[in-house]
Amino acid sequence: MKKKKTRKKKILPVILMFLAALIVAAAVVVVVFRTRTIEVTGSTYYSENTIRTWIQNDKLSVNSLYIVVKYDLLDGELPTGAEKFHVALENPWTVLVTVEEKEMAGYVEDDGAYLYFDGTGTAVLRTKKPVEGVPYIEGLTFDAAKVELGTRLPVEDEGIFEDIVDVTRNLKKYELVPDRLTCADDGIRLMFGIVEVTLGESGYEEKLQQVQPILEKLSELYPDTAGTLYLDNYTKESDSIRFVPSE
């Protein structure tokens, strides 16, 4: 019995010291790691203040370590246009947030604003500020009243988004910026100024590879002439490409 009592007397101080250390550590985390500044970089879709407000809407964000854990270690909820928040601490009270944004496949007009969607057709951003380098998409038919951010656009042919992504990826690759992209019954069409380019329903990369040199040649042969450049049936084996001036 005496041995048990002696053992308990030895263990009790250890437990008390451990609990005291936990209390001190918790106090340090609460007092020292107190968020004073949130610095935001990499955000073009949203203002820096919008990102700060998003983070600070969580009452626990007063603690800088909590913000790091929430967004870097856990799947904290993000604005629909953001892919990831990369969070680091410059010091215990300054939080550095780098926003990794989703890549937009295109946008449509929606009640006086621009509605942007990603490669899956999910609506991710509604804004009145245009996003540079994202093509305007025509020909997508859907009920705008049913569109919600974070959900797919309710179009009949969901496979069209794969075509749009394929085209927009190659537009960037070959540094082409069309005025608009149209989803037509016969495939994808692009508008470059007064020249329309038909791409058909497949083989977009090899067709888009030809666009820039052909447009340059057309400006020499047919200056200021509107018309249609038919690439829908073009292949590497094609001997000629048809351009039909508008009447």
Side-chain angles (χ1 to χ4, degrees):
M1 293 291 294
K2 288 184 179 180
K3 287 184 178 180
K4 288 185 178 180
K5 289 182 179 180
T6 303
R7 191 177 302 159
K8 287 182 179 179
K9 287 182 180 180
K10 290 181 178 180
I11 293 175
L12 184 59
V14 174
I15 294 174
L16 292 175
M17 289 178 62
F18 177 72
L19 291 176
L22 284 180
I23 293 171
V24 171
V28 169
V29 169
V30 171
V31 175
V32 176
F33 291 89
R34 194 163 187 82
T35 307
R36 298 179 188 173
T37 304
I38 299 177
E39 298 182 3
V40 180
T41 58
S43 180
T44 59
Y45 303 158
Y46 306 99
S47 68
E48 293 180 13
N49 191 55
T50 297
I51 299 298
R52 290 191 192 96
T53 300
W54 179 276
I55 293 172
Q56 291 171 335
N57 275 340
D58 185 340
K59 294 180 180 179
L60 296 178
S61 67
V62 294
N63 184 271
S64 57
L65 278 181
Y66 170 81
I67 298 175
V68 174
V69 171
K70 179 179 180 179
Y71 293 107
D72 254 15
L73 301 180
L74 303 177
D75 294 325
E77 186 178 358
L78 302 173
T80 51
E83 187 71 42
K84 174 74 176 175
F85 282 177
H86 300 279
V87 183
L89 297 181
E90 184 175 88
N91 51 55
W93 52 86
T94 303
V95 180
L96 306 178
V97 180
T98 302
V99 181
E100 180 182 335
E101 297 180 321
K102 289 184 178 178
E103 186 173 358
M104 303 299 181
Y107 74 93
V108 294
E109 292 184 354
D110 179 38
D111 194 23
Y114 304 119
L115 180 65
Y116 289 84
F117 57 89
D118 64 13
T120 66
T122 300
V124 293
L125 181 68
R126 182 181 281 109
T127 178
K128 292 189 175 181
K129 182 179 70 172
V131 176
E132 187 176 350
V134 180
Y136 171 56
I137 310 296
E138 285 186 336
L140 288 179
T141 303
F142 58 89
D143 186 353
K146 295 182 179 179
V147 175
E148 295 182 6
L149 292 180
T151 63
R152 298 189 73 176
L153 298 182
V155 298
E156 292 184 4
D157 178 17
E158 294 187 349
I160 190 62
F161 296 117
E162 294 181 11
D163 291 339
I164 292 173
V165 169
D166 193 1
V167 171
T168 54
R169 181 176 62 247
N170 284 292
L171 285 171
K172 290 181 180 179
K173 180 176 181 178
Y174 296 108
E175 299 180 348
L176 298 168
V177 183
D179 297 302
R180 66 176 182 270
L181 183 157
T182 301
C183 302
D185 292 337
D186 58 354
I188 302 292
R189 297 180 173 223
L190 302 174
M191 200 72 191
F192 293 92
I194 56 177
V195 176
E196 184 178 45
V197 180
T198 66
L199 297 178
E201 300 177 329
S202 62
Y204 300 121
E205 180 170 8
E206 60 182 6
K207 294 173 183 178
L208 289 170
Q209 192 175 7
Q210 308 302 317
V211 169
Q212 187 60 44
I214 293 175
L215 290 178
E216 292 175 357
K217 193 66 177 179
L218 287 177
S219 66
E220 297 176 10
L221 300 175
Y222 303 94
D224 302 319
T225 301
T228 302
L229 175 64
Y230 291 94
L231 290 177
D232 41 329
N233 294 318
Y234 172 83
T235 66
K236 292 181 179 179
E237 289 73 35
S238 298
D239 296 326
S240 61
I241 297 174
R242 186 161 59 107
F243 174 69
V244 179
S246 300
E247 296 181 358

